[in-house]
């Protein structure tokens, strides 16, 4: 029996996954907007103290309050990356259903803790925001496989989902706007927690119990009894443009993590992520210095930066289109689909490294108007970076290890990103608040990211040479 609704179902799965990533998964990165709301509600207000200035006037010093909010975000953002390692193992070992149920429970628990918190129970923000970050990260991991439903646009979907994850920071910005109209932020978090019912429905009816395979078998469907009846016919047929290639045994997980390609990819991600984290961490004092302390100008540039962060979902698909550019074209004789995908990935890796270099150069130049261009390059590079990371791991290594490899690379890069703290200390205590020399050092350091695309390019050329020699 034919399944006429397979394609519409795939599209509906894609759209609901996009909404899930855009509205829920990465909300932790909208922390700056949430802090405004929490401060107005009196969270950690007891840490503010009255201080007497030199002229005898008293002012309220809330620096300790700011440090406490900063600590909440530091722990949550670190957990967002570091937890991807156990999350990846959970996903690979138990499949989509178990992983998503765990993610939804953790995420909902975090939202409920914020909803039930108060200035007297502000300590709940620490576990709450970490749970929201961990649950949202696992939701993203479980959605990346949806790209397998769209063979010729596989990487476009993967990068789009990662861009949507970045743009979901807008949820807390929306909270800030409605809070100013008098709506309780506790009610908002209760509403978001209640939306977990939608996540559960999607888990049971639009996603498989285990995984969406790649390459996608013929007549494959999800959420339909047709998938059961068509099991014997799931073997994909060879198309004329897909010449037969010899079967290559899949690498073990250990072989993957000790490979040169994985190590260089880890360096590629870690170098650029550290550059981004340091830029965000020093942005406010940098703008304060460049504007000579003009608060209106600082506010103007901070608003511009916040708005550009919401555009990640618009930037990310361009990276996927670059990686998908070879789809639908005949492959060279003897070239596997994985090799063709890998051959198209080096350009994406190269462009991402080039964007980071340009972004770092602009950030290092002490010119205030130039920072508008810096903001654009930053969000473009961030979108390419995380979308390209997920897409490359999907291409270069066996899909059975994707969750573990994704978790490992994000966890190790999270550890590397802790270097931002000694950099902060160096700028503040040694360089008098001027990050120029640190920015120059990191710009030079970012050149390491160019090694990875060059290595992938040379690897692909080597495979082409080997095929030509074997054919001769």
């Amino acid at each position: 029996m034919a399944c006429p609704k397979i394609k519409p179902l795939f599209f509906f799965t894609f759209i609901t996954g996009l909404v899930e990533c855009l509205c829920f998964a990465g909300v932790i990165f909208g922390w700056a907007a949430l802090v405004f709301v929490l401060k107005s509600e009196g969270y950690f207000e007891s840490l503010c103290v009255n201080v007497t200035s030199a002229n005898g006037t008293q002012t309220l010093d809330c620096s300790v309050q700011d440090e406490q909010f900063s600590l909440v975000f530091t722990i949550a953002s670190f957990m967002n990356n570091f937890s991807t390692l156990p999350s990846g193992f959970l996903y690979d070992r138990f499949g989509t259903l178990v992983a998503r149920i765990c993610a939804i429970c953790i995420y909902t628990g975090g939202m409920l803790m914020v909803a039930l918190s108060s200035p007297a129970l502000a300590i709940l923000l620490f576990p709450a925001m970490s749970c929201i970050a961990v649950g949202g990260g696992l939701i993203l991991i479980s959605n990346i496989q949806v790209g397998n439903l769209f063979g010729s646009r596989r990487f476009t979907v993967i990068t789009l989902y990662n861009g949507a994850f970045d743009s979901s920071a807008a949820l807390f910005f929306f909270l800030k706007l409605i809070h100013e109209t008098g709506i309780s932020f506790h009610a908002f978090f209760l509403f978001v927690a209640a939306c977990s019912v939608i996540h559960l429905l999607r888990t049971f009816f639009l996603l498989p119990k285990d995984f969406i395979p790649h390459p996608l078998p013929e007549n494959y469907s999800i959420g339909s009894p047709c998938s059961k009846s068509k099991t014997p016919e799931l073997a994909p047929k060879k198309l004329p443009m897909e010449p037969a290639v010899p079967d290559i045994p899949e690498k073990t997980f250990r072989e993957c993590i000790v490979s040169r390609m994985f190590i260089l990819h880890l360096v590629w991600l870690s170098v650029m992520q550290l550059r981004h984290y340091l830029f965000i961490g020093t942005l406010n004092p940098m703008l304060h210095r460049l504007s000579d302390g003009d608060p209106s100008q600082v506010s103007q540039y901070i608003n511009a930066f916040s708005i550009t962060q919401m555009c990640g979902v618009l930037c990310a698909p361009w990276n996927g289109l670059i990686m998908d550019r070879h789809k639908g074209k005949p492959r060279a004789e003897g070239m596997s689909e994985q090799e063709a995908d890998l051959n198209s990935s080096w350009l994406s890796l190269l462009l991402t490294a080039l964007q980071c270099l340009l972004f770092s150069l602009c950030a290092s130049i002490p010119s205030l108007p130039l920072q508008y261009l810096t903001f654009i390059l930053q969000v473009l590079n961030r979108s390419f970076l995380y979308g390209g990371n997920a897409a490359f791991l999907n291409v270069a290594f066996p899909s059975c290890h994707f969750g573990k490899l994704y978790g490992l690379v994000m966890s190790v890069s999270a550890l590397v990103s802790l270097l931002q703290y000694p950099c902060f200390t160096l700028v503040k205590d040694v360089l008098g608040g001027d990050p120029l020399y640190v920015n120059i050092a990191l710009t030079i350091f970012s050149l390491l990211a160019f090694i990875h695309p060059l290595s992938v390019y040379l690897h692909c050329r080597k495979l082409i040479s080997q095929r030509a020699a074997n054919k001769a």
Side-chain angles (χ1 to χ4, degrees):
M1 183 177 68
C3 285
K5 294 187 177 180
I6 286 179
K7 292 298 181 181
L9 187 62
F10 286 2
F11 184 73
F12 188 59
T13 300
F14 161 70
I15 292 297
T16 53
L18 184 63
V19 171
E20 197 171 66
C21 291
L22 185 61
C23 298
F24 302 98
V27 296
I28 183 65
F29 296 107
W31 174 252
L34 179 60
V35 167
F36 283 102
V37 176
L38 295 174
K39 281 187 173 182
S40 68
E41 292 287 331
Y43 281 68
F44 298 123
E45 195 173 45
S46 60
L47 299 177
C48 296
V49 294
N50 287 317
V51 295
T52 304
S53 61
N55 57 11
T57 60
Q58 284 196 336
T59 57
L60 192 63
D61 181 10
C62 292
S63 59
V64 180
Q65 180 194 37
D66 291 335
E67 288 177 8
Q68 199 74 351
F69 281 124
S70 178
L71 184 59
V72 173
F73 177 71
T74 298
I75 295 173
S77 58
F78 175 78
M79 288 299 297
N80 177 71
N81 279 1
F82 192 76
S83 67
T84 51
L85 180 57
S87 296
F89 273 91
L90 176 69
Y91 173 71
D92 282 347
R93 175 65 179 84
F94 297 103
T96 303
L97 179 63
V98 173
R100 281 183 61 86
I101 289 177
C102 290
I104 294 167
C105 290
I106 294 171
Y107 185 87
T108 306
M111 288 291 175
L112 288 175
M113 277 190 276
V114 179
L116 299 175
S117 68
S118 65
L121 294 174
I123 196 71
L124 283 177
L125 291 178
F126 285 93
M129 300 314 296
S130 293
C131 285
I132 292 171
V134 172
L138 188 47
I139 287 174
L140 173 65
I141 292 175
S142 69
N143 273 311
I144 287 175
Q145 62 180 324
V146 174
N148 295 342
L149 297 175
F150 303 88
S152 63
R153 291 291 175 261
R154 179 186 175 202
F155 302 125
T156 304
V157 172
I158 292 174
T159 53
L160 183 61
Y161 274 15
N162 278 270
F165 181 83
D166 289 338
S167 294
S168 60
L171 185 69
F172 285 161
F173 180 69
F174 176 70
L175 165 63
K176 179 177 178 291
L177 295 179
I178 65 172
H179 183 264
E180 291 171 353
T181 66
I183 297 177
S184 168
F185 93 99
H186 294 93
F188 177 86
F189 276 93
L190 285 173
F191 172 77
V192 176
C195 288
S196 295
V197 174
I198 301 175
H199 305 325
L200 285 172
L201 291 175
R202 186 167 180 272
T203 300
F204 288 114
F205 297 106
L206 292 177
L207 290 171
K209 179 180 179 182
D210 296 316
F211 310 100
I212 299 174
H214 178 77
L216 199 67
E218 186 180 356
N219 296 327
Y220 177 83
S221 71
I222 50 180
S224 169
C226 295
S227 58
K228 297 180 181 179
S229 63
K230 293 292 182 180
T231 301
E233 304 173 22
L234 286 180
K237 297 179 181 179
K238 295 283 185 180
L239 298 177
M241 66 171 59
E242 297 179 354
V245 294
D247 291 333
I248 301 175
E250 287 189 345
K251 292 181 179 180
T252 65
F253 178 65
R254 184 181 182 281
E255 289 173 334
C256 291
I257 62 176
V258 299
S259 66
R260 182 181 64 176
M261 192 171 292
F262 179 80
I263 294 172
L264 289 178
H265 183 71
L266 182 59
V267 172
W268 176 86
L269 175 67
S270 300
V271 165
M272 289 188 279
Q273 181 171 267
L274 175 61
R275 186 66 191 94
H276 280 271
Y277 280 11
L278 185 64
F279 173 74
I280 294 171
T282 59
L283 178 62
N284 213 307
M286 180 193 72
L287 293 175
H288 188 271
R289 187 180 64 259
L290 294 179
S291 64
D292 296 324
D294 184 350
S296 62
Q297 277 197 311
V298 173
S299 177
Q300 175 185 338
Y301 278 85
I302 288 292
N303 288 341
F305 178 72
S306 300
I307 292 171
T308 56
Q309 296 308 294
M310 301 177 192
C311 299
V313 69
L314 304 177
C315 302
W318 293 103
N319 194 16
L321 291 172
I322 291 171
M323 298 189 71
D324 281 332
R325 68 187 187 280
H326 70 287
K327 298 290 187 180
K329 299 178 182 178
R331 298 198 300 266
E333 184 178 353
M335 177 182 282
S336 66
E337 183 178 0
Q338 182 189 24
E339 183 185 342
D341 290 342
L342 194 63
N343 192 47
S344 71
S345 67
W346 71 266
L347 180 59
S348 167
L349 299 172
L350 179 64
L351 287 175
T352 305
L354 182 60
Q355 290 166 4
C356 184
L357 179 61
L358 294 175
F359 149 64
S360 189
L361 285 171
C362 289
S364 302
I365 300 173
S367 170
L368 193 58
L370 184 62
Q371 299 316 304
Y372 285 120
L373 177 59
T374 305
F375 297 160
I376 295 172
L377 289 172
Q378 191 270 341
V379 71
L380 179 64
N381 184 229
R382 180 179 169 85
S383 299
F384 268 59
L385 178 62
Y386 291 108
N389 169 51
F392 180 79
L393 291 175
N394 211 306
V395 165
F397 303 100
S399 58
C400 60
H401 302 312
F402 173 77
K404 297 186 288 291
L405 292 172
Y406 183 83
L408 181 61
V409 77
M410 294 300 291
S411 297
V412 176
S413 65
L415 292 174
V416 174
S417 70
L418 292 177
L419 291 173
Q420 63 184 295
Y421 297 106
C423 290
F424 291 157
T425 304
L426 180 64
V427 171
K428 179 182 177 183
D429 298 337
V430 179
L431 301 176
D434 186 356
L436 177 62
Y437 293 109
V438 171
N439 284 335
I440 292 174
L442 284 177
T443 300
I444 297 172
F445 189 51
S446 67
L447 294 175
L448 291 174
F450 286 90
I451 299 175
H452 184 36
L454 178 62
S455 176
V456 173
Y457 175 79
L458 293 176
H459 174 74
C460 292
R461 298 286 75 77
K462 181 180 178 182
L463 292 178
I464 292 173
S465 299
Q466 287 177 347
R467 280 203 317 274
N470 293 335
K471 186 177 180 181

